Amino acid sequence: MKRRIGIHLAGMVVLFCMDSCQRADKPATVLSGNNWDPFNKKQIENLINKYGNSGTNYDRDKPPYVVFDWDNTSIFLDIEEATLIYQLENLIFGCSPPQLDRAIRVGINDTLLKNTTNKAGEAITFNEVAADIISSYTWLYNNYQPLGGKGDASLEKIKESPHFKNFTVKVRFLYEAIYDTYSSDVAYPWVTYLFAGLDSIQVRKMTYETVKAQRGSAIAPVTWESPNPSLLPGQLSGQVSITWKNGLRLIPEMQELYSKFRESGFDVWICSASFVDVVKEISSNPEFGYNNNSYRVLAMELERDSNGKILPIYRNGYFQTQRMGKYYTLKKMLADSGGKYGYPPIFIAGDSEGDQDMLNIKNFPIKLGLIINRKKGKKELLGEFSLKAINSYKTDTAIYLLQGRDENSGCFVANQGDTNIQEW
């Protein structure tokens, strides 16, 4: 509803139109990106203008706050998994072989790996793959001085050894196999344990280099294959291969959205299932355009020793920041009476089942929930929320917004994306 104020000057009538919830001294926020779905763009702009510092009810002592998932929401692809590839390719580890052996066994019992076979079609166990990893890592450690051994071979020379390929491929392979055999509850912290022995500075530097390398890579599947047994006899798990998608991209629309929220007086938080130092680097480094305060990152946490070295132990008193763990974390750290605010977030963005519990309006009565449409969540809560976004599209009742994205380019598209949810 608008009100009109008429001022008569020298026989002229000048009419000023002002939305009742908009302060006259601050122009309305407008998102510039052309790749937003137009309805989604307008709904987000309306939320910013109504509840931000241009709104008549804004209280700087009780600012509204928003929460973004990071991987595949704020960016295209997964920074934790991309950092793992950089770590493997450059052999950035802080463990001796016995220490790494202990780290990769945390939370894992020896078991037959589900839906997983080697190239010969044989079923394999966790212990078999782990033994192969440590065998090759021991050779690498003894021959490559930066790992801690006494060898003087260069990284280029080390990469010529079948042990290098055996180690790197089987670590990446095992990460995927643990996810399939157990769940994300086991796999997501497991991959962070590979940072054991490093410190925050080393992890953040590695993340920085990862982003630079990924942005220069093609968006395409990459397949790694371990050496043929004839080149490296004695491997218990045999020859394996693993495929993933490369080509992480930063998303201009999300970079701008972060900025517009902050400019409008919202506090911006990230809640991610990646490791906390990894997310802090990519989200706060000015070179990457999000410019968010690294203090406002809630993510996977590990214990540290007295020298600041990372330990393969999940931090006591912290929830895993995925699924219900995201909800519990936000509730404890921000929304509860003992949290920073004592009231819930107003906007949450996510892309997968891992985000569905913080997006659930039964948990947080958000005004808007943005879902990046990756065709995820069938038979899950996220699927229900996506269907609600489809059914309430272009209506005043919309709470969930479905935003399309081109998986070949990493760019937003100006529509909801695939809305045939039955085929997801």
Side-chain angles (χ1 to χ4, degrees), residues 16 25 33 35 37 39 66 68 110 142 265 304:
F16 294 88
D25 60 347
N35 291 334
D37 173 279
F39 175 72
V66 299
F68 289 82
D110 185 36
N142 290 334
R304 319 284 173 126

Side-chain angles (χ1 to χ4, degrees), residues 69-120:
D69 169 54
W70 187 256
D71 297 307
N72 269 311
T73 298
S74 300
I75 61 170
F76 176 68
L77 300 185
D78 188 303
I79 184 57
E80 180 75 52
E81 294 179 1
T83 302
L84 170 61
I85 297 305
Y86 188 89
Q87 181 181 18
L88 291 169
E89 289 184 321
N90 293 277
L91 290 181
I92 304 172
F93 290 85
C95 291
S96 67
Q99 289 171 329
L100 185 63
D101 191 32
R102 288 193 293 271
I104 66 173
R105 294 177 184 276
V106 174
I108 309 289
N109 298 314
D110 185 36
T111 185
L112 199 66
L113 298 173
K114 293 181 182 177
N115 307 318
T116 302
T117 60
N118 60 22
K119 295 285 286 184

Side-chain angles (χ1 to χ4, degrees), residues 172-372:
R172 184 61 182 84
F173 172 87
L174 187 56
Y175 167 59
E176 201 84 16
I178 289 172
Y179 186 97
D180 290 341
T181 303
Y182 293 89
S183 68
S184 58
D185 293 346
V186 177
Y188 287 174
W190 182 88
V191 73
T192 69
Y193 300 152
L194 298 173
F195 294 139
L198 303 176
D199 59 27
S200 293
I201 293 174
Q202 290 171 300
V203 172
R204 291 188 67 152
K205 182 178 186 298
M206 183 163 56
T207 304
Y208 173 80
E209 297 298 338
T210 296
V211 178
K212 290 206 305 181
Q214 283 284 315
R215 293 173 73 185
S217 300
I219 298 174
V222 174
T223 298
W224 279 1
E225 188 171 87
S226 66
N228 187 289
S230 64
L231 296 176
L232 193 63
Q235 296 303 300
L236 300 179
S237 60
Q239 187 178 26
V240 302
S241 67
I242 183 67
T243 299
W244 72 91
K245 194 170 186 177
N246 222 33
L248 181 146
R249 295 291 187 270
L250 310 177
I251 300 176
E253 289 78 13
M254 296 303 258
Q255 292 169 326
E256 183 191 35
L257 185 55
Y258 272 62
S259 177
K260 293 296 186 183
F261 270 126
R262 288 194 301 267
E263 289 172 6
S264 299
F266 294 78
D267 286 350
V268 179
W269 288 82
I270 295 163
C271 190
S272 170
S274 288
F275 186 58
V276 63
D277 290 330
V278 170
V279 182
K280 282 183 175 182
E281 177 62 23
I282 187 173
S283 65
S284 67
N285 190 318
E287 191 170 327
F288 302 141
Y290 293 84
N291 298 301
N292 213 48
N293 190 328
S294 62
Y295 166 73
R296 294 198 172 117
V297 172
L298 302 170
M300 292 287 195
E301 296 268 4
L302 298 182
E303 297 285 3
R304 319 284 173 126
D305 69 13
S306 58
N307 296 315
K309 299 294 185 181
I310 297 165
L311 298 172
I313 303 169
Y314 203 82
R315 191 172 178 185
N316 186 43
Y318 283 73
F319 299 104
Q320 282 193 34
T321 41
Q322 58 171 324
R323 289 191 173 250
M324 284 299 290
K326 286 197 171 188
Y327 163 65
Y328 292 139
T329 296
L330 294 175
K331 188 169 183 285
K332 176 182 177 180
M333 303 297 288
L334 306 179
D336 258 4
S337 58
K340 179 175 175 60
Y341 301 97
Y343 49 89
I346 199 168
F347 169 97
I348 295 177
D351 72 285
S352 72
E353 299 91 329
D355 307 313
Q356 65 189 16
D357 296 295
M358 68 175 181
L359 279 162
N360 190 347
I361 59 173
K362 293 181 180 179
N363 292 331
F364 294 125
I366 54 176
K367 301 300 182 182
L368 283 181
L370 176 66
I371 301 170
I372 307 304

